């Protein structure tokens, strides 16, 4: 039986360069969309009231009044955390951080209830407090540098922070 076709059968392989290009483009488009989406969903501001990030405290402790504002488009629940950053901060008066001290810090709501998370509606701002306490043996006339940060529940890679500079006074010298 003879074939009417004199053309040999051609087997076409896809061009690898086109496939690679398409995959890279698809990845970039998805990454851009995800990044754009997260920037609209996850956007917050954490501020100390009246920009009072620098303050002194007696040995009995103090409170920093904080505000978190959800600038995103969806309700978000933020996890509250703090971290000693004495090794990497600069004291406001220029003294060395080598003798900075550690403080205890807890978060409380406006009714003085302990909190570890806070839920904020879009466009809403909520007041809460960082409660600083000291161990009795804490040295006086020393600084403590503390980073406060809030981690978004909607976007695991999003957090915002503020830095506290707390000076421990010696009440016997007042």
């Amino acid at each position: 039986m003879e074939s009417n076709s004199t053309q040999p059968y051609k087997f076409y392989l896809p061009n690898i360069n086109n496939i690679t290009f398409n995959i890279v483009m698809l990845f970039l488009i998805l990454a851009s969309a995800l990044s754009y989406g997260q920037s609209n969903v996850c956007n917050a501001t954490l501020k100390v009231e009246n920009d009072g990030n620098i303050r002194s405290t007696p040995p009995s402790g103090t409170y920093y009044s904080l505000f978190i504002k959800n600038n995103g488009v969806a309700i978000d629940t933020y996890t509250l955390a703090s971290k000693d950053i004495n090794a990497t901060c600069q004291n406001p008066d220029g003294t060395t951080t080598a003798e900075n001290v550690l403080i205890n810090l807890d978060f409380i709501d406006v009714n003085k209830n302990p909190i570890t998370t806070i839920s904020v509606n879009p466009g809403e701002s909520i007041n809460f407090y960082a409660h600083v306490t000291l161990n009795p043996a804490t040295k006086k006339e020393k600084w403590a540098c503390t980073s406060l940060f809030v981690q978004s529940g909607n976007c695991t890679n999003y957090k915002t922070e503020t830095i506290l500079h707390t000076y421990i006074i010696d009440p016997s010298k007042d």
Side-chain angles (χ1 to χ4, degrees):
M1 191 175 205
E2 287 186 28
S3 171
N4 291 341
S5 173
T6 59
Q7 297 287 329
Y9 180 77
K10 291 186 178 180
F11 182 72
Y12 291 99
L13 288 174
N15 185 333
I16 298 301
N17 289 335
N18 286 340
I19 291 174
T20 303
F21 176 79
N22 289 337
I23 289 172
V24 168
M25 290 304 293
L26 180 62
F27 174 76
L28 290 175
I29 290 168
L30 289 174
S32 296
L34 182 62
S35 174
Y36 176 76
Q38 283 193 356
S39 69
N40 284 331
V41 173
C42 302
N43 186 342
T45 306
L46 178 63
K47 294 191 70 97
V48 179
E49 185 175 29
N50 298 323
D51 294 319
N53 297 58
I54 301 170
R55 71 168 16 164
S56 60
T57 183
S60 59
T62 192
Y63 295 88
Y64 285 91
S65 179
L66 302 162
F67 288 90
I68 183 169
K69 182 173 183 185
N70 180 351
N71 302 311
V73 297
I75 189 169
D76 204 342
T77 299
Y78 300 95
T79 300
L80 311 173
S82 66
K83 180 180 178 185
D84 159 44
I85 56 167
N86 284 326
T88 58
C89 80
Q90 291 184 335
N91 290 336
D93 63 359
T95 57
T96 179
T97 60
E99 295 185 24
N100 280 19
V101 296
L102 298 176
I103 60 173
N104 303 314
L105 192 138
D106 297 300
F107 296 102
I108 57 174
D109 65 17
V110 294
N111 297 315
K112 296 188 178 178
N113 297 310
I115 56 173
T116 57
T117 62
I118 194 164
S119 294
V120 188
N121 290 318
E124 184 177 61
S125 184
I126 294 183
N127 181 219
F128 64 104
Y129 296 92
H131 181 210
V132 173
T133 57
L134 307 173
N135 292 324
T138 301
K139 293 180 183 179
K140 311 301 184 273
E141 299 182 318
K142 301 295 178 192
W143 287 98
C145 295
T146 311
S147 170
L148 305 183
F149 54 95
V150 293
Q151 173 75 48
S152 167
N154 292 340
C155 305
T156 56
N157 293 330
Y158 182 82
K159 71 178 179 180
T160 187
E161 73 174 329
T162 191
I163 307 296
L164 303 181
H165 298 275
T166 308
Y167 185 74
I168 292 71
I169 63 170
D170 184 349
S172 68
K173 293 186 177 182
D174 278 345

